Amino acid sequence: MAGKAAAAGAGVLLVTANVGSLFDDPENLQKNWLREFYQVVHAHKPHFMALHCQEFGGKNYEASMSHVDKFVKELLSSDAMKDYNRARVYLDENYKSQEHFTKYKKVTGKEIYSDTLESTPMLEKEKFPQDYFPECKWSRKGFIRTRCAFDLVNIHLFHDASNLIAWETSPSVYSGIRHKALGYVLDRIIDQRFEKVSYFVFGDFNFRLDAKAVVETLCAKATMQTIRAADTNEVVKLIFRESDNDRKVMLQLEKKLFDYFNQDVFRDNNGTALLEFDRELSVFKDRLYELDISFPPSYPYSEDSSQGRQYMNTRCPAWCDRILMSHSAKELILKSENDEKIVIYDHIGPNVCMGDHKPVFLSFRIAAGAVLLPKL
């Protein structure tokens, strides 16, 4: 979080970014990330911003903390932060901890908290119960809440462990797991422990498109070939071929393979033709609000620094990274009085590789007198 003196109708910037893959190529990807982030900050000039960087340690947490420390120092000294004299950084280095919640405290300067966040009385942190996602032997999935004038809830929900299992039913079993976990978070943040305030929930929700419906649509005129393991008879691969055109392969589907022959369908018009299959948030429409999506699926992008617009063929592209809000938070956002576009919901670095996730941001202004910004 960072802040500077706020004026009436002050600007707010929320950014969610899964940065784990940056540490695999720090010289290129981190530079890209910081440069693109600065451009967004410079364009919107917020008085207050909250940046959620999850998977901060990369694939090997213990071995990469030096990269984390370097990234944080570069972020705090970067051009994006030069106009901010107050900041607070939370580094969850004690990643084996189960769960703890704390209270809130005023930000008084540039501070970095790490190691045992459980002893830091300024945030609330909790991991989901292990039985929520038994396929994962060990997981950091959960949420952290900080409070200013409103609650900022950073969340990381469960992923799809297998494309084949996700394809079997509609909605998939993984969708049900995420539904349960998100409901758990929403119940926690409105319980009786703290005063109720408006809230924003943002992070990697791992929301996926309805895999069965997507495949049936993309491969409507294809025939399906099933490949089974010789020893177990388990389905290990599905191949969808065009009925004519020399039976050209349209899609190959494995546990961790989603190889569709034409990625343009996910990029043309920002992939919005596929939004009809983005259904996981619908069950929370009475509790959460989201602005219209006008950017392409945020995951999974190639981690090759030269391939800024290319998706990996590991998963079906989806809008995993989101910024949602309570209906009362929606009312805090300053309405335009002169047709100026004040509220912007978009992604960062559309043509630049920033890791396997494109960061997503929400820029808005708080109406004068509606709420006081945090005294950072």
Side-chain angles (χ1 to χ4, degrees), residues 87-352:
R88 175 169 288 156
V89 178
Y90 298 107
L91 294 179
D92 188 9
E93 296 182 9
N94 187 22
Y95 55 86
K96 294 181 180 179
S97 175
Q98 282 293 322
E99 57 193 48
H100 282 284
F101 269 145
T102 56
K103 59 184 180 179
Y104 308 101
K105 182 181 178 182
K106 179 179 176 180
V107 178
T108 57
K110 289 190 175 181
E111 307 162 338
I112 297 178
Y113 291 84
S114 61
D115 194 23
T116 55
L117 291 185
E118 293 75 21
S119 62
T120 305
M122 291 159 288
L123 60 83
E124 182 175 27
K125 165 195 165 187
E126 185 168 346
K127 291 168 66 175
F128 295 120
Q130 188 65 44
D131 60 0
Y132 271 35
F133 196 44
E135 291 187 49
C136 187
K137 295 180 181 179
W138 179 81
S139 175
R140 287 174 55 83
K141 303 299 192 296
F143 70 100
I144 290 179
R145 170 167 59 155
T146 56
R147 173 167 291 186
C148 46
F150 37 76
D151 276 356
L152 297 169
V153 183
N154 302 142
I155 194 169
H156 193 184
L157 296 183
F158 302 101
H159 60 280
D160 283 12
S162 169
N163 293 323
L164 293 170
I165 293 176
W167 171 83
E168 288 177 350
T169 57
S170 175
S172 78
V173 62
Y174 303 119
S175 175
I177 294 171
R178 287 187 286 271
H179 179 187
K180 181 180 179 181
L182 181 53
Y184 177 89
V185 173
L186 296 180
D187 289 341
R188 289 287 284 173
I189 63 179
I190 62 169
D191 63 19
Q192 301 303 314
R193 293 168 303 141
F194 304 112
E195 177 187 0
K196 293 182 181 179
V197 297
S198 300
Y199 56 84
F200 294 86
V201 186
F202 58 115
D204 182 2
F205 290 81
N206 263 313
F207 287 161
R208 306 302 172 96
L209 303 184
D210 187 320
K212 191 171 187 64
V214 168
V215 171
E216 289 176 349
T217 298
L218 295 180
C219 304
K221 298 181 179 180
T223 58
M224 184 180 76
Q225 176 186 358
T226 303
I227 310 296
R228 297 179 180 272
D231 52 346
T232 65
N233 203 40
E234 177 185 6
V235 175
V236 294
K237 188 172 187 175
L238 299 175
I239 302 175
F240 296 83
R241 300 178 182 273
E242 292 188 31
S243 300
D244 48 20
N245 195 26
D246 296 327
R247 292 183 53 78
K248 179 181 177 180
V249 174
M250 300 181 66
L251 172 67
Q252 297 185 74
L253 198 67
E254 298 178 13
K255 180 179 180 179
K256 295 185 178 180
L257 177 71
F258 188 97
D259 189 5
Y260 188 62
F261 79 107
N262 179 20
Q263 284 198 1
D264 286 343
V265 69
F266 303 108
R267 291 188 289 255
D268 290 347
N269 195 28
N270 291 322
T272 52
L274 297 173
L275 278 172
E276 65 173 296
F277 305 113
D278 178 66
R279 301 166 177 169
E280 295 195 31
L281 187 57
S282 61
V283 297
F284 294 98
K285 63 182 179 180
D286 294 334
R287 305 178 71 177
L288 290 170
Y289 173 78
E290 182 178 27
L291 293 166
D292 291 340
I293 292 175
S294 59
F295 50 87
S298 64
Y299 172 85
Y301 280 91
S302 169
E303 294 167 297
D304 182 338
S305 60
S306 66
Q307 300 290 332
R309 300 181 71 244
Q310 184 76 16
Y311 287 105
M312 288 192 287
N313 61 2
T314 52
R315 307 289 183 186
C316 177
W319 288 272
C320 294
D321 306 270
R322 316 280 275 262
I323 300 177
L324 314 177
M325 67 194 78
S326 63
H327 289 280
S328 60
K330 173 188 172 184
E331 300 305 317
L332 295 177
I333 297 177
L334 184 65
K335 304 293 183 180
S336 174
E337 297 180 355
N338 56 2
D339 296 327
E340 180 184 0
K341 189 174 183 182
I342 295 177
V343 181
I344 300 177
Y345 185 36
D346 205 348
H347 67 323
I348 299 175
N351 300 309
V352 177

